[in-house]
Amino acid sequence: MLQVTISFSVMLFSLGLDQSYVREFHEATNKPALLKLSFFPGMIMLLLSLAMILLFGGGSLSGWLFGIRVQHLSQLVALALVVSFFSRFLSLVLRMNERVFAYSVSQVAPKLLLLIIVGVYVLIDVDNNLTNLIAANVAGFVLAFFVQAWCARNELILGLRSTVNIRRLKSMLRFGAPLILGGVAFWGLTAVDKIFLRAFSSFNELGLYSVSVSFAAIGMILQSVFSTIWAPTVYKWASRGQGLENVYRVTRYVLILVIIGFCLAGLLSWMLEFLLPPGYAEVQWIVISCLGYPLLYTLSETTVVGIGISKRSGYSMLAAILALVVDLCGNWLLIPVYGAAGAAVSTCASFWIFLFFRTEFSIYVWKVIPRKLVYIYSFLVVSGAIVFTLWGRYLGSVMEVFWVMMLCSIFFVFRDELKEVRGLVLLRTKRNA
């Protein structure tokens, strides 16, 4: 609940200005001023909202989240929200300046600290209560903030000294505001499955789904790494008016990774049966559909660039809303029948719809890019994942043949890309020899 609240609050109070910052970065002559312009409106609104809740609501914040009305828990949550909001913009500074090492350290450090604190709790036999758990998480958020603030200190100092350009702020809000509703819709895409499972199914099914999502989180590595590199790169190309011809080339490479990801999950998921207790045997069928979110979202990031370049952000909002409608209907229909499997299938199908509309809207506002291969392969692997999740246990070797055929087809359809990768690997090997 803490993580869900943080992600929702950061998205809402950013006012879409975090996306405006990314979009305007390479065109701005005064980048610290752009940071200040992007950061302060949302931070002021967040601080005022938290002050009102803490002053007049007592422990209501912790009551809403954890069912326990305690003042100190509400204060810890408020601190987590503030530092997480700071961290969102500081991480953008590191990303856009292509300071990859600093960005990576800032992402790993809080998780490492959380593990250390929990380990210390175990060693000194600290009480296993909610306060200690929340405190450990908040300590991780605070550490991330200090690491990022130190790495971006020069930008912060210059930003504080800069003046606010109201006219530019209005322009940035026009671009970013539609992204708020789109962000809420996207948040719904990633959260409605859990909400519907809680409402229409059992805790057992919710547990199965949570474990499946955890294993599918390996796909989040691809999404995180690619998103960190892609947005700064493509907007740099746009600011220079060159390099955009590489967009489809990158799309093909990402498509290869998406196909491989689905195929390997389909062929190797049986191994999960030996790693998990008997009660979680169903995870081996569900996990492949859970990969739909990170893999298809990553693929859509390569096809949606036209919306960002043309600054027609309303279309991103519309794509997310349309996908959310499909997800709501799918979860409502499938969860009562299939439980966790129905939630996974609905989310996977919805992200294919998300990919489709993002791509088509990007083409509408920017320029035509070849997408037939993207649609054919993504539709095939998503269809395979849905069939595998719902009926894979009955089809047996039929599904194995399907995944092998999909994997083998890569060597024919993408032979030019594979030759290029092979050449780069050989060249790198010779240099290191």
Side-chain angles (χ1 to χ4, degrees):
M1 290 303 300
L2 179 63
Q3 294 288 352
V4 169
T5 303
I6 287 173
S7 64
F8 182 79
S9 299
V10 170
M11 174 198 65
L12 181 65
F13 287 100
S14 293
L15 305 176
L17 292 175
D18 53 341
Q19 300 299 316
S20 295
Y21 175 80
V22 172
R23 176 63 187 87
E24 301 280 344
F25 183 84
H26 289 292
E27 299 175 7
T29 55
N30 189 340
K31 292 176 175 55
L34 179 67
L35 175 63
K36 181 177 182 178
L37 204 60
S38 306
F39 169 79
F40 267 100
M43 175 53 74
I44 292 171
M45 290 183 62
L46 176 62
L47 290 175
L48 288 175
S49 300
L50 289 175
M52 294 288 289
I53 292 172
L54 292 177
L55 286 174
F56 301 106
S60 58
L61 190 57
S62 67
W64 295 335
L65 298 182
F66 315 122
I68 304 173
R69 292 178 62 91
V70 182
Q71 183 71 28
H72 69 268
L73 277 180
S74 294
Q75 292 167 352
L76 282 173
V77 172
L79 177 60
L81 291 174
V82 172
V83 296
S84 295
F85 188 87
F86 265 106
S87 293
R88 167 60 180 163
F89 284 89
L90 292 174
S91 68
L92 290 179
V93 173
L94 300 179
R95 276 181 60 193
M96 298 308 294
N97 284 287
E98 300 181 18
R99 300 176 62 183
V100 179
F101 179 75
Y103 177 80
S104 301
V105 170
S106 70
Q107 298 301 301
V108 173
K111 297 175 177 60
L112 183 60
L113 179 63
L114 176 60
L115 287 173
I116 292 172
I117 292 175
V118 172
V120 172
Y121 282 173
V122 174
L123 289 175
I124 64 176
D125 198 26
V126 171
D127 291 339
N128 298 326
N129 58 46
L130 184 61
T131 298
N132 288 331
L133 180 60
I134 299 298
N137 278 273
V138 173
F141 299 142
V142 172
L143 176 64
F145 163 70
F146 280 116
V147 170
Q148 292 166 335
W150 174 256
C151 293
R153 59 191 182 280
N154 294 330
E155 195 101 357
L156 284 174
I157 294 170
L158 293 174
L160 289 172
R161 295 173 180 172
S162 63
T163 57
V164 174
N165 186 330
I166 299 298
R167 181 179 298 179
R168 186 165 195 177
L169 177 59
K170 291 179 180 178
S171 173
M172 292 173 67
L173 284 170
R174 279 195 296 271
F175 174 80
L179 296 174
I180 301 174
L181 184 54
V184 172
F186 183 80
W187 178 83
L189 266 176
T190 60
V192 72
D193 45 8
K194 303 170 189 66
I195 296 171
F196 271 67
L197 273 172
R198 174 66 183 88
F200 298 120
S201 191
S202 64
F203 280 110
N204 182 55
E205 292 296 317
L206 185 58
L208 284 173
Y209 189 67
S210 297
V211 173
S212 301
V213 170
S214 297
F215 277 104
I218 190 170
M220 297 296 291
I221 299 173
L222 173 63
Q223 179 191 331
S224 178
V225 171
F226 183 80
S227 298
T228 301
I229 299 170
W230 179 242
T233 301
V234 77
Y235 287 130
K236 183 189 293 183
W237 289 346
S239 67
R240 296 175 179 175
Q242 59 186 19
L244 292 173
E245 67 278 359
N246 293 323
V247 169
Y248 182 62
R249 187 162 167 254
V250 173
T251 299
R252 288 176 66 93
Y253 279 105
V254 175
L255 180 59
I256 293 172
L257 295 176
V258 169
I259 298 167
I260 292 173
F262 274 106
C263 290
L264 291 181
L267 291 170
L268 302 177
S269 65
W270 59 270
M271 297 173 64
L272 296 178
E273 190 173 5
F274 300 99
L275 299 175
L276 295 170
Y280 291 91
E282 293 296 309
V283 170
Q284 65 178 301
W285 309 110
I286 299 172
V287 67
I288 187 170
S289 289
C290 293
L291 280 170
Y293 161 35
L295 295 184
L296 295 175
Y297 178 80
T298 303
L299 182 59
S300 76
E301 286 286 274
T302 69
T303 63
V304 76
V305 295
I307 293 177
I309 291 172
S310 63
K311 300 184 181 181
R312 305 286 291 276
S313 54
Y315 287 97
S316 286
M317 172 192 69
L318 184 57
I321 292 173
L322 291 171
L324 177 59
V325 170
V326 173
D327 199 23
L328 287 168
C329 295
N331 278 289
W332 182 64
L333 292 171
L334 295 175
I335 285 178
V337 180
Y338 295 105
V345 164
S346 177
T347 301
C348 189
S350 299
F351 270 94
W352 190 87
I353 297 296
F354 186 62
L355 164 68
F356 175 81
F357 281 114
R358 283 187 116 192
T359 304
E360 291 302 312
F361 289 151
S362 177
I363 290 171
Y364 176 73
V365 300
W366 189 43
K367 66 179 183 180
V368 176
I369 61 170
R371 74 272 200 197
K372 185 182 296 184
L373 203 62
V374 172
Y375 290 156
I376 291 173
Y377 262 108
S378 62
F379 181 79
L380 285 173
V381 293
V382 167
S383 299
I386 290 173
V387 172
F388 188 86
T389 296
L390 298 181
W391 305 292
R393 62 181 63 80
Y394 310 116
L395 295 174
S397 59
V398 174
M399 290 307 305
E400 293 178 6
V401 171
F402 172 80
W403 295 122
V404 170
M405 289 176 61
M406 290 295 297
L407 201 56
C408 290
S409 71
I410 293 174
F411 295 97
F412 298 97
V413 179
F414 300 98
R415 55 185 176 274
D416 292 337
E417 285 79 9
L418 295 177
K419 286 180 181 177
E420 186 174 357
V421 171
R422 181 173 177 273
L424 290 173
V425 171
L426 290 174
L427 182 62
R428 182 63 62 87
T429 304
K430 289 179 180 178
R431 287 180 177 175
N432 295 333

